Amino acid sequence: MPRVLVVLALLLLAIPAAAQERLTVTSQYGPDKPQTQLWVRFAEIVEAERPGAYDLDIVPSGALGGEKEEAEAVRLGAITGALSTVANLTTWVPEGAVLDLPFAFSGREHIARVTGGEVGEALRRAYREEGFAAPAFIVFGARHLISDAPLTDPGDVSGLTMRVLQSDLHVALWRSLGAAPTALPITEAYTALSNGVVEAMDLTKSGYEALKLYEVAPVLTETAHIWAIGVVYFDAAFWDGLPEEDRALFARAAEEAARHFDRLAEAEQEAALARAVAKGARLAQVDPTPWQTAVAGFVDDYAATLPAAARDALEAIRATR
């Protein structure tokens, strides 16, 4: 081999391989659930385009805390990315509560029109200002009531102690109906129901089955009063530090993984409920009209407390129904 080629070969061997960047992302649910599978899909997309560049450490089952603890850790840079309900992030972006108002949406297509339009863009900017880069929205599913007895009428929740999301809106909503709301992380829900700290709560059908809450709250009342909408989000400082091409890749991967999640989550709702019923859960169906009437005043009153941008967003949501 010519001397010059030998020297070049030795120089190339002396150049250290690019260090693989380790990223920590989290899920509140187990490895087989859509919340975790979203990150699996995200990792597959990134690895396909940037082989060996990033090592995604997926931490499932709420091992690093509830949604609020995850959000605080993301803002501090201790966690790279997570999923969150918009309700949880209202601590920092109160206008996000507009997506969480009861009976605001008619279904998944309506949500997609809103989050894919100007309302969604405005919220992304608001999250960004608070340290969250949120490239994609997700839909967990409709929220229903669970307890040890049917809750078919709005008056049935009066006097009950309810576990609610750590969100001013959710606290105010159930208080307006006469309940005594207690804000707790979802990771504490089973224990709180089993020891009587709370008597009822609301969540999606898949969450109900995944957390085995049918064991301590055997009746699910199908109110579908709120669509649980969330975001895929990252530490904004990390996001800004990505090379431009990688940032674009992460945005595409997040959006594709979010749509993968939505498909899994939609299919999971009824399948999960069927599994819960097979294990002893009971269903109670309701007429939504009394519920809509009972919360109509609350919706208008609460919207009036939100920033003007949120009130405009509510009008836009209503206009696209």
Side-chain angles (χ1 to χ4, degrees):
M1 180 183 294
R3 179 180 174 82
V4 67
L5 293 181
V6 171
V7 171
L8 285 173
L10 291 172
L11 287 172
L12 288 172
L13 288 172
I15 297 173
Q20 188 178 49
E21 187 167 2
R22 188 171 179 80
L23 312 179
T24 299
V25 297
T26 61
S27 162
Q28 290 289 298
Y29 290 85
D32 61 331
K33 296 303 178 183
Q35 288 84 346
T36 308
Q37 289 302 306
L38 179 151
W39 290 120
V40 172
R41 181 66 183 131
F42 177 88
E44 290 171 348
I45 297 167
V46 171
E47 178 65 18
E49 293 200 32
R50 292 281 278 114
Y54 298 97
D55 176 21
L56 215 68
D57 180 19
I58 304 171
V59 182
S61 304
L64 298 183
E67 281 190 331
K68 193 163 294 293
E69 289 78 15
E70 287 178 341
E72 289 167 345
V74 167
R75 293 182 88 231
L76 292 172
I79 293 174
T80 313
L83 313 179
S84 177
T85 56
V86 294
N88 173 57
L89 295 183
T90 55
T91 297
W92 298 276
V93 182
E95 55 265 45
V98 72
L99 300 186
D100 229 26
L101 288 168
F103 301 105
F105 293 100
S106 59
R108 290 178 178 272
E109 291 183 2
H110 186 198
I111 294 168
R113 289 196 299 273
V114 170
T115 56
E118 292 182 5
V119 171
E121 281 303 312
L123 284 173
R124 285 188 182 92
R125 291 192 295 271
Y127 291 131
R128 184 65 184 75
E129 290 173 2
E130 294 298 324
F132 305 114
F137 287 90
I138 53 177
V139 182
F140 293 96
R143 301 184 74 87
H144 307 273
L145 288 168
I146 67 167
S147 185
D148 61 359
L151 302 172
T152 56
D153 184 85
D156 291 340
V157 302
S158 182
L160 293 184
T161 303
M162 288 189 61
R163 177 270 168 180
V164 301
L165 288 167
Q166 295 168 289
S167 153
D168 290 345
L169 183 152
H170 284 253
V171 170
L173 168 61
W174 296 109
R175 186 171 288 148
S176 76
L177 293 174
T182 299
L184 293 172
I186 192 63
T187 48
E188 298 178 19
Y190 187 102
T191 301
L193 285 164
S194 65
N195 63 22
V197 169
V198 299
E199 300 167 278
M201 61 178 284
D202 69 339
L203 81 170
T204 63
K205 294 174 179 177
S206 59
Y208 180 56
E209 187 264 342
L211 297 171
K212 300 183 178 180
L213 296 179
Y214 51 83
E215 295 178 350
V216 289
V219 181
L220 183 144
T221 304
E222 297 187 274
T223 48
H225 50 278
I226 289 174
W227 278 89
I229 301 169
V231 290
V232 183
Y233 71 104
F234 296 84
D235 166 25
F238 159 79
W239 190 264
D240 291 345
L242 286 168
E244 185 175 348
E245 289 186 3
D246 286 5
R247 191 160 56 245
L249 167 60
F250 273 49
R252 291 196 308 275
E255 183 61 35
E256 184 174 331
R259 300 294 72 79
H260 178 63
F261 168 89
D262 284 350
R263 290 189 292 271
L264 291 176
E266 184 175 14
E268 177 78 354
Q269 297 305 312
E270 297 308 321
L273 183 61
R275 290 193 296 268
V277 168
K279 295 172 183 176
R282 306 191 304 277
L283 302 183
Q285 296 183 341
V286 302
D287 175 0
T289 304
W291 286 91
Q292 292 168 346
T293 301
V295 303
F298 167 82
V299 170
D300 290 337
D301 290 345
Y302 195 87
T305 71
L306 297 174
R311 298 195 294 274
D312 292 341
L314 178 58
E315 291 307 312
I317 290 170
R318 287 170 168 169
T320 57
R321 285 184 69 89

